[in-house]
Amino acid sequence: MSDNIRYPIGTFKPVSIQTPEERAEWIEQMPELASKFRKLTAPLSIEQLRIPYRTDGFRFYTLLRTLHHEQF
């Protein structure tokens, strides 16, 4: 399986040092990110949201599962 399918937005790269200011900025960005997710997914049907994009591992990965995980 190619990494493009396995990691469609890239692999996780943790930030090793966080300042309180960075953390506060990231928290402030959360509502905006949720709004963007809603706008991007609004035109999709439930069937489209359930299409797997990755089938390895314990479960099938779908956009619906990913978005629910983010709890927007």
Side-chain angles (χ1 to χ4, degrees):
M1 176 183 302
S2 81
D3 277 352
N4 288 342
I5 293 173
R6 192 164 178 214
Y7 303 106
I9 62 169
T11 56
F12 177 69
K13 296 177 181 124
V15 177
S16 58
I17 299 174
Q18 302 172 22
T19 66
E21 293 81 14
E22 287 173 321
R23 191 174 298 118
E25 182 180 338
W26 296 336
I27 291 169
E28 283 182 28
Q29 292 172 0
M30 286 180 183
E32 180 183 348
L33 182 60
S35 175
K36 286 181 181 182
F37 278 152
R38 284 188 199 100
K39 285 179 186 176
L40 288 170
T41 59
L44 301 176
S45 69
I46 193 70
E47 291 82 15
Q48 289 173 308
L49 292 171
R50 288 184 174 152
I51 294 172
Y53 67 87
R54 186 175 159 190
T55 57
D56 65 326
F58 177 68
R59 297 184 178 143
F60 289 95
Y61 291 83
T62 66
L63 185 55
L64 183 63
R65 184 180 300 275
T66 303
L67 293 172
H68 180 268
H69 177 72
E70 297 301 325
Q71 297 185 8
F72 71 101

